[in-house]
Every structure is written in structure tokens, then in C-alpha cells.
Amino acid sequence: MILLDIALGVMALAMVAAVVRLVTGPTDADRVLAVDFGFIVMVGSIALLAIRRDVSALLDLVLVATLVGFLATVALARLVRGRSPARPGPSPEGPALGAPDARSSEEA
């Protein structure tokens, strides 16, 4: 039990670090990372509490929160990517339909 209490204390310190990064983060990407890290710390804390209190229903909550957290991370990453300035180079989706491929011009 003492080890679980120490782990919960470490989780509390990690949450403080996430909040500090959320407040002081100079960019939106830093803030998104802090929110994601804080969510992971919260889910880990709930898992530790489930073990400490021997409540298996909390583990179901951890499972659902993990799935929701993954979807939120993907959505926030797309949001931050949409706000970042456009970088030169090929688009991540690949060449547009009908556009010549760079490899085909080298082979010809």
C-alpha cells in the first residue's frame, strides 16, 4: 500500500508539471502536449486508485478513457497541424490526381 501511495504522490507531481507547461507553454503544440500528458497522468492515477481500493469498475473507466484520449489526441494534433504555417514540399496526402509523379519524370 505504501508503494501505491508513493506512486500516487509522483502522479500528483506529474500533474503539477503538466499544469505548469499548460500555463507557460509558448506554442499551441506545447499546450496540447501538456493537456495530453495531464490526461494520461489522470488515467494512470485512476488505475492506481482502482488497484489501491480494489474496485474493478474503475478499470472499465480507465479503458474507456484511454480510447477517448487517443481520439482526442488525434483531433488535437490535426488542429495544431492546421494552425501551423505551411511547409514547402510534397503534401502528406501524396500528389494530386492527374499531377505528374516525380519518379515517372526521372525514369523517362
Side-chain angles (χ1 to χ4, degrees), residues 6-77:
I6 292 170
L8 284 169
V10 170
M11 291 295 219
L13 291 175
M15 186 60 86
V16 169
V19 169
V20 167
R21 185 48 140 176
L22 180 67
V23 173
T24 62
T27 65
D28 288 340
D30 291 328
R31 289 184 175 92
V32 166
L33 185 64
V35 168
D36 192 36
F37 179 69
F39 185 77
I40 290 169
V41 168
M42 182 196 69
V43 170
S45 298
I46 293 172
L48 286 173
L49 282 173
I51 294 169
R52 188 176 189 285
R53 299 286 183 187
D54 197 26
V55 179
S56 63
L58 288 177
L59 293 176
D60 294 336
L61 176 67
V62 167
L63 179 64
V64 171
T66 303
L67 294 173
V68 170
F70 171 73
L71 294 175
T73 299
V74 170
L76 289 172

